[in-house]
Amino acid sequence: MKKTGIVFLLLILAFLLVWPFIGPEYQVYLTLSFFAYSVALLGFNLLFNYTGLLSFGHALFIGVGGYTAAFLTSRFHIPYMEVSILVTILLSGVVAILIGLICVRYIKIYFAMLTLAFGMLFHSFLMKTYHLTGGDEGMSVEQPYLLGMDFSSMDQMAFFSGPYYYYSLGVLILASIAMWRIVHSPFGLCLTSIRDNPDKAEYLGIGIRKYRLLAFIISGCFTGVGGVLLAPITGHMDPGMVFWTHSGDMVFMTLVGGFSNFFGPMLGTVIFITLRDVISSYIEYWRLIFGALLAAIVILSPGGVIEVLTNLFTLIRRKIMAGENAS
Amino acid sequence: MILEAINISKYYGEFCALKDVSIGIDEGEFVSVIGPNGAGKTTLINVLTGFLKPDAGQVNFRGKDIAGKGPEELSTMGIARSFQLVHIFPELSLINTIKVAIISRQAKGMRLFASLARDKEVHEQALEVAELFGLADLLEETAKNCPQGIKKLLDVASAFALHPEIILLDEPTSGVSTSDKNKIMQVLVDASKKIGIKTVLQVEHDMDIVFSYSDRIIAMQQGKVLADGSPAEVEKNEEVICTVVGQKECFQTFNRIMSMNREERA
């Protein structure tokens, strides 16, 4: 990563660290969704950008994470967040293996439709197993213990803007480092080679199904962890969390932010969460505005908003350098 | 015999692309497959490299039947190929394209958290291959932005980076200007020697290149082997030359041009 990029990231990190102290309580609360979706999209984009597979059913893994947290906290009374995360990684991995073994045999629209189908199957399962999952009423998620510490004596908003905020930020940082290493590893290079030309990759000895399956499993685990982080914020899990429109929201965030940049989907979550909050407070049909925005982005800047910002930054830097040279 | 096809047949619907073809390649040979369009040359390469499953017959690599085995398995066994139409990774840089092959050869592909940038062994080996193919000045160039000749070399270089026991090249000089063809062939031959690839099977249309570099020539027509012999033997075979060049009166002209080319090189 370039020096300017590192400086920029450190500035954002510094801002996020002080944000609970300077930001309005409600905005800080919204930032928690940004952390959760960012972790989820790290996984989604490993599949979409680096492997070339568009999943239209990734909300399934948000559901795996969210319902795991719900079951553990409210049904089994195991409030430890770390346990929820570990169990989610395990369950997401198992679910991803089962689904992935079928899905990764296909690519393009067939892969997208299969993942969509499995997502909707899971949705139906959650709806129909009322005695287990609460059906359409869902399940409540209790406030979790963080690093073994009980914060139940705290006011809920104080918990979210304090311990839970920094915990989620920590998970996002760790997940980002892990994913950064994965995409810059030999495995990551092999994935991009499969995305670019699977026939050629296979002739170079890369077992494309094996790699796609592993990418699917890792992707599912990351998205599952995002679901665990999201669960306490909503305080409630219902089948709507795994409905295909939620998977569509994840695709939207990734495309708007910029899928070809590692940090693009994170920017997409900021745009999505902020706009949804602002627009939905004025009009009911916020998805209409989102549709128009997505169309504009795809037509005008396929690289997403991050591409626009990067180009703008490069332009400004060039002008400054040209000015310095002239003087 | 390193690679052997025994009575292989391949049909595309009703059309017979290969009919009872039997050929053998010895270790250390440079063999060229020639023939007019539709003779079955590329189908033969595709069957030998696992891209297509033969409808009948057997393909042996070092005595083991490999018919129907996929490209990945054949690659790990020591068989590599390049394509008639260039196969590259459009978004990857040249150095990373070569690194994919080296990672695969060294079985490092499943290293999830290892830093690729810090793997000196992979980087140095990729540099060596890039230098052998004259690509060292373009290492960070994105493959899709390179000229056709460079893409062709990159396709072949990545296959060479696997250090295979045998390499099958499907028209390695197609789409390259006539003046560059000999240069590319010389690069391929030199790289084979340095890397230690002893056996090469190529499909080629340029007769000058075929007769200059081959130890043996296999001529094909309509899915069958028409002739199999040394360049000197094939050169004298009027039926083969007329079939490949396309006109009967070309036989003498062909021989005259070939002898002129030989004198020129001498």
Side-chain angles (χ1 to χ4, degrees):
Chain A
M1 194 187 286
K2 287 177 186 171
K3 264 186 184 174
T4 45
I6 295 169
V7 171
F8 197 64
L9 271 181
L10 288 174
L11 283 174
I12 291 174
L13 185 62
F15 171 77
L16 287 173
L17 284 170
V18 298
W19 178 233
F21 298 103
I22 58 170
E25 205 173 41
Y26 178 65
Q27 307 301 333
V28 174
Y29 173 73
L30 279 186
T31 315
L32 294 174
S33 298
F34 156 70
F35 294 149
Y37 278 114
S38 291
V39 173
L41 293 188
L42 280 171
F44 174 80
N45 211 32
L46 176 73
L47 214 54
F48 184 45
N49 180 37
Y50 296 95
T51 321
L53 297 171
L54 170 61
S55 167
F56 239 102
H58 243 51
L60 181 153
F61 293 105
I62 295 255
V64 171
Y67 272 92
T68 302
F71 267 100
L72 288 175
T73 58
S74 65
R75 200 63 67 85
F76 299 114
H77 306 294
I78 303 171
Y80 303 101
M81 190 68 174
E82 297 73 36
V83 175
S84 293
I85 291 175
L86 288 175
V87 174
T88 293
I89 290 172
L90 196 72
L91 286 178
S92 299
V94 172
V95 172
I97 289 171
L98 295 173
I99 297 174
L101 279 170
I102 299 167
C103 292
V104 300
R105 300 167 79 90
Y106 303 89
I107 53 169
K108 296 180 182 173
I109 189 70
Y110 307 102
F111 178 84
M113 289 300 109
L114 267 174
T115 47
L116 175 75
F118 279 110
M120 292 312 291
L121 265 176
F122 190 55
H123 177 262
S124 300
F125 169 79
L126 294 173
M127 289 287 273
K128 300 293 176 192
T129 50
Y130 191 88
H131 60 288
L132 200 68
T133 62
D136 57 348
E137 287 177 12
M139 296 174 75
S140 67
V141 182
E142 303 300 325
Q143 193 187 81
Y145 289 12
L146 306 177
L147 301 169
M149 288 179 274
D150 178 10
F151 295 97
S152 56
S153 58
M154 273 179 107
D155 167 48
Q156 198 175 34
M157 280 311 270
F159 168 74
F160 282 137
S161 58
Y164 195 70
Y165 178 94
Y166 289 105
Y167 189 89
S168 299
L169 178 60
V171 172
L172 174 59
I173 292 169
L174 287 177
S176 300
I177 292 169
M179 187 55 79
W180 179 268
R181 291 207 66 130
I182 288 171
V183 300
H184 291 91
S185 70
F187 174 72
L189 181 65
C190 291
L191 285 187
T192 43
S193 75
I194 291 168
R195 175 202 66 192
D196 270 17
N197 189 339
D199 286 343
K200 172 77 177 170
E202 210 166 14
Y203 271 102
L204 293 184
I206 309 289
I208 53 175
R209 276 192 197 164
K210 190 170 63 182
Y211 279 81
R212 280 179 180 151
L213 179 63
L214 188 53
F216 193 78
I217 295 166
I218 296 168
S219 173
C221 291
F222 271 77
T223 307
V225 173
V228 180
L229 288 183
L230 200 61
I233 310 167
T234 57
H236 181 260
M237 284 304 292
D238 63 64
M241 292 299 275
V242 302
F243 199 62
W244 70 270
T245 50
H246 199 201
S247 296
D249 289 344
M250 292 169 74
V251 177
F252 177 90
M253 291 180 212
T254 308
L255 287 175
V256 167
F259 68 92
S260 54
N261 186 299
F262 184 82
F263 298 101
M266 293 188 196
L267 180 62
T269 62
V270 177
I271 296 167
F272 180 86
I273 293 163
T274 312
L275 279 184
R276 185 177 61 180
D277 190 57
V278 172
I279 297 171
S280 63
S281 64
Y282 290 105
I283 55 168
E284 195 183 335
Y285 305 107
W286 56 276
R287 282 194 187 274
L288 192 73
I289 308 286
F290 272 33
L293 178 68
L294 183 61
I297 291 285
V298 169
I299 294 164
L300 300 173
S301 175
V305 174
I306 203 154
E307 188 184 70
V308 177
L309 294 178
T310 313
N311 290 344
L312 203 66
F313 179 72
T314 312
L315 194 75
I316 292 167
R317 201 170 62 170
R318 270 191 202 148
K319 282 203 170 174
I320 291 169
M321 283 172 76
E324 278 175 3
N325 288 342
S327 62
Chain B
M1 201 165 282
I2 187 165
L3 189 64
E4 190 180 18
I6 305 164
N7 299 328
I8 53 169
S9 296
K10 179 71 195 170
Y11 291 86
Y12 298 114
E14 294 290 304
F15 178 73
C16 177
L18 292 175
K19 178 79 178 162
D20 281 334
V21 171
S22 294
I23 61 162
I25 315 294
D26 284 321
E27 195 155 3
E29 273 192 313
F30 191 117
V31 179
S32 292
V33 180
I34 60 170
N37 288 335
K41 307 182 295 290
T42 297
T43 303
L44 177 67
I45 294 265
N46 284 339
V47 168
L48 291 175
T49 54
F51 192 73
L52 293 174
K53 201 173 177 178
D55 294 314
Q58 199 174 331
V59 181
N60 291 342
F61 177 68
R62 294 203 177 284
K64 277 186 185 170
D65 185 9
I66 56 163
K69 284 197 192 300
E72 181 211 348
E73 205 173 335
L74 294 187
S75 153
T76 51
M77 289 174 84
I79 302 173
R81 75 168 289 183
S82 72
F83 294 82
Q84 185 178 353
L85 300 171
V86 285
H87 267 45
I88 52 164
F89 304 120
E91 301 294 335
L92 292 191
S93 65
L94 267 61
I95 186 86
N96 276 346
T97 303
I98 299 169
K99 277 183 182 179
V100 172
I102 294 167
I103 287 167
S104 167
R105 174 164 55 85
Q106 296 184 348
K108 288 181 174 174
M110 283 292 163
R111 293 189 179 181
L112 294 181
F113 297 103
S115 168
L116 179 64
R118 286 185 195 153
D119 195 327
K120 281 186 182 170
E121 194 188 3
V122 169
H123 187 73
E124 278 165 14
Q125 289 189 20
L127 267 181
E128 270 176 39
V129 175
E131 275 166 14
L132 280 177
F133 283 84
L135 302 171
D137 295 334
L138 299 161
L139 293 177
E140 296 305 326
E141 195 66 54
T142 308
K144 69 177 177 188
N145 298 332
C146 292
Q148 189 65 12
I150 298 292
K151 286 179 185 168
K152 195 89 193 174
L153 272 178
L154 182 63
D155 186 9
V156 179
S158 55
F160 271 62
L162 289 171
H163 290 193
E165 291 186 50
I166 180 169
I167 189 156
L168 294 90
L169 309 168
D170 196 353
E171 299 192 27
T173 65
S174 70
V176 177
S177 67
T178 315
S179 56
D180 287 340
K181 284 188 173 188
N182 268 305
K183 278 185 210 162
I184 286 185
M185 281 311 293
Q186 203 49 55
V187 167
L188 296 187
V189 170
D190 290 346
S192 307
K193 281 180 189 162
K194 281 182 185 158
I195 289 173
I197 303 167
K198 292 173 189 159
T199 317
V200 179
L201 175 70
Q202 69 159 356
V203 167
E204 183 57 63
H205 278 294
D206 189 307
M207 289 303 120
D208 186 29
I209 282 173
V210 167
F211 283 89
S212 305
Y213 291 93
S214 311
D215 298 317
R216 189 152 62 88
I217 296 169
I218 296 169
M220 293 186 71
Q221 191 198 13
Q222 292 178 347
K224 290 178 183 171
V225 173
L226 192 64
D228 184 346
S230 69
E233 287 166 351
V234 173
E235 202 175 328
K236 287 175 196 152
N237 189 327
E238 189 172 351
E239 190 192 355
V240 170
I241 300 304
C242 290
T243 305
V244 174
V245 179
Q247 290 169 319
K248 250 196 160 165
E249 56 271 23
C250 285
F251 181 59
Q252 286 180 341
T253 318
F254 173 81
N255 276 316
R256 204 164 53 241
I257 292 169
M258 293 307 288
S259 58
M260 275 166 64
N261 284 345
R262 266 196 295 273
E263 280 167 22
E264 204 174 289
R265 271 196 299 276

